[in-house]
């Protein structure tokens, strides 16, 4: 993807404009970077093209809310966010630094260099600012003329990654690449199949204790040879110590891929990446510094879980055997009658797709096969 896209780099000294909670930098080349501290531990990043946003609405961000309107919410909305006090300053080398009391992002401003962000968190126990996450120094942001966007961050040997939705394989996603789309993956391999039914463009990063950068300088990692994939470290190796845990959430519903070290490139060193076929590059960085804290904040950011109705907590029957049978309604009603006779409480039954299949075997969603189910009203009564 990167070879077919423009690398975002600073073609001149960026023009800085302050806005509520952050700033906007015109980095040249028609690209604009927007940084907004929406919470003391959450910062929003947007890289915008000259034409503006491809989609100015979000249906995934709902801070502390139970629901969203059908039309979604504006991506730049601050409704529901605390919008904490921030500090915006220039460092000795001219970089732009935006900070809350807990999370800090620094944008390098060297003309001619690739756009690069470095993140740090404030360790209250020691009083120090420590490296959290940093963009890949050899190229972090790419924008394609065909609408594609990508984002690369540096990783270190032994770092652990979690999330991405329903996935096969180990809980630690290190060394894997995932296709972010939904498919009906019936009969999938629990270790290797991808993609599966559900996904979300979010992951949690946890540096391994042995690979943490105690100096916080974030120098480029050493390149690895062919053995760079390796096996993900056991969970016990990443549960304690190391750097602070963080989350990265991409506010996009575009088909995309997340790579946590499957791709290797000796020039770039070790990296993880997000690549989307279209849309905008809008993402949130969430500070833990513990994994469970990131999980809680992500749950809050994307909307609270609704209290399910009482009936949904009961036994729910489901089998393709009944609805794929030529006498589906008779078999379903016999099953319901047997549950009642044996005093098995049944709250619901999932019909799967067999109720809609034609004689040719095709599935016609929301269309009853009257041969299989001659009286749907009686079945649902």
């Amino acid at each position: 993807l990167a070879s077919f896209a423009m690398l975002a780099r600073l073609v001149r000294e960026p023009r800085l404009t302050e806005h509520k909670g952050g700033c906007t930098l015109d980095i040249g080349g028609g690209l604009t970077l927007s940084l907004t501290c929406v919470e003391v531990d959450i910062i929003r990043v947007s890289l915008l093209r000259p034409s503006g946003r491809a989609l100015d609405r979000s249906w995934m961000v709902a801070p502390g809310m139970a629901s969203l309107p059908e039309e979604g919410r504006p991506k730049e909305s601050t409704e529901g966010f605390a919008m904490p006090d921030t500090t915006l300053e220039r460092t000795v080398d001219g970089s732009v630094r935006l900070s809350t009391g807990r999370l800090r992002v620094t944008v390098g401003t060297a003309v001619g260099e690739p756009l690069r962000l470095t993140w740090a968190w404030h360790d209250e126990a020691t009083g120090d600012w420590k490296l959290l996450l940093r963009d890949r120094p050899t190229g972090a942001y790419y924008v394609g003329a065909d609408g594609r966007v990508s984002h690369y961050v540096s990783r270190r040997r032994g770092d652990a990654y979690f999330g991405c939705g329903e996935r096969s394989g180990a809980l630690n996603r290190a060394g894997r690449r995932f296709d972010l789309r939904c498919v009906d993956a019936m009969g999938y391999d629990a270790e290797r199949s991808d993609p599966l039914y559900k996904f979300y463009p979010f992951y949690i990063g946890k540096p391994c204790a042995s690979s943490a950068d105690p100096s916080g300088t974030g120098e480029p990692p050493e390149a690895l040879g062919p053995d760079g994939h390796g096996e993900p470290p056991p969970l016990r190796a990443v549960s304690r110590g190391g750097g602070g845990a963080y989350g990265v959430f991409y506010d996009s519903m575009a088909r995309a891929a997340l790579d946590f070290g499957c791709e290797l490139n000796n020039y770039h060193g070790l990296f993880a990446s997000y690549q989307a076929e279209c849309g905008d590059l809008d993402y949130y960085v969430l500070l833990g510094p513990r994994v469970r804290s990131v999980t809680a904040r992500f749950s809050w950011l994307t909307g609270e879980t609704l209290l399910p109705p009482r009936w949904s907590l009961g036994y729910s029957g489901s089998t393709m055997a009944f609805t794929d049978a030529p006498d589906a309604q008779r078999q379903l009603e016999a099953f319901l009658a047997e549950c009642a006779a044996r005093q098995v409480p049944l709250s619901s039954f999932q019909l799967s797709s067999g109720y809609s299949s034609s004689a040719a075997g095709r599935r016609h969603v929301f269309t009853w096969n009257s041969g299989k189910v001659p009286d749907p009203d009686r079945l649902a009564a």
Side-chain angles (χ1 to χ4, degrees), residues 6-311:
M6 177 183 71
L7 169 63
R9 64 172 68 247
L10 287 86
V11 298
R12 55 171 169 73
E13 180 71 19
R15 289 195 293 265
L16 177 66
T17 304
E18 293 189 45
H19 62 246
K20 183 179 180 181
C23 63
T24 300
L25 291 90
D26 181 353
I27 65 173
L31 297 176
T32 302
L33 178 71
S34 177
L35 306 172
T36 306
C37 300
V38 294
E39 295 284 327
V40 71
D41 53 357
I42 303 176
I43 296 180
R44 180 172 65 203
V45 180
S46 300
L47 184 63
L48 304 178
R49 300 180 177 90
S51 56
R53 295 185 181 277
L55 183 64
D56 65 355
R57 296 272 163 171
S58 173
W59 285 265
M60 294 193 289
V61 175
M65 301 176 182
S67 63
L68 281 175
E70 290 185 4
E71 65 273 16
R73 65 180 262 146
K75 281 198 171 183
E76 297 180 359
S77 172
T78 57
E79 179 184 358
F81 289 119
M83 302 304 294
D85 292 336
T86 61
T87 300
L88 181 63
E89 58 186 333
R90 290 273 191 172
T91 64
V92 175
D93 65 357
S95 298
V96 174
R97 177 178 291 165
L98 178 65
S99 310
T100 70
R102 298 190 60 204
L103 184 59
R104 183 171 78 187
V105 58
T106 302
V107 184
T109 58
V111 177
E113 291 297 312
L115 175 64
R116 177 187 176 191
L117 277 59
T118 302
W119 301 81
W121 65 287
H122 187 253
D123 188 340
E124 296 180 354
T126 65
D128 298 325
W129 284 94
K130 297 182 177 180
L131 179 68
L132 183 69
L133 171 70
R134 63 190 183 91
D135 287 338
R136 191 176 71 178
T138 50
Y141 301 91
Y142 294 84
V143 180
D146 58 357
R148 298 187 181 193
V149 292
S150 57
H151 177 212
Y152 294 81
V153 297
S154 292
R155 64 179 180 88
R156 290 162 290 191
R157 190 198 303 262
D159 288 357
Y161 299 92
F162 311 98
C164 305
E166 183 181 17
R167 295 295 163 191
S168 63
L171 184 63
N172 182 2
R173 316 300 192 195
R176 297 283 306 275
R177 180 181 177 89
F178 298 100
D179 188 355
L180 302 186
R181 59 189 175 102
C182 302
V183 299
D184 186 2
M186 186 174 68
Y188 65 86
D189 184 317
E191 289 187 330
R192 300 188 180 280
S193 291
D194 182 71
L196 300 182
Y197 292 92
K198 299 181 291 293
F199 79 90
Y200 48 83
F202 166 75
Y203 68 89
I204 297 174
K206 180 67 175 76
C208 185
S210 62
S211 68
D213 179 9
S215 67
T217 59
E219 289 300 318
E222 296 179 358
L224 290 185
D227 63 340
H229 287 283
E231 289 296 324
L235 292 183
R236 64 178 179 273
V238 297
S239 59
R240 295 183 179 88
Y246 60 88
V248 181
F249 169 53
Y250 294 93
D251 186 12
S252 173
M253 294 183 289
R255 178 176 177 177
L258 277 168
D259 189 308
F260 301 111
C262 183
E263 179 184 352
L264 295 175
N265 188 310
N266 188 62
Y267 171 74
H268 293 292
L270 302 183
F271 59 87
S273 67
Y274 167 82
Q275 300 175 328
E277 290 189 351
C278 60
D280 304 301
L281 190 55
D282 292 289
Y283 68 93
Y284 292 77
V285 172
L286 299 80
L287 170 65
R290 302 180 66 187
V291 170
R292 68 173 61 184
S293 302
V294 179
T295 304
R297 291 302 273 161
F298 176 67
S299 177
W300 173 86
L301 177 64
T302 53
E304 298 177 346
T305 302
L306 295 176
L307 182 67
R310 185 174 181 180
W311 63 262

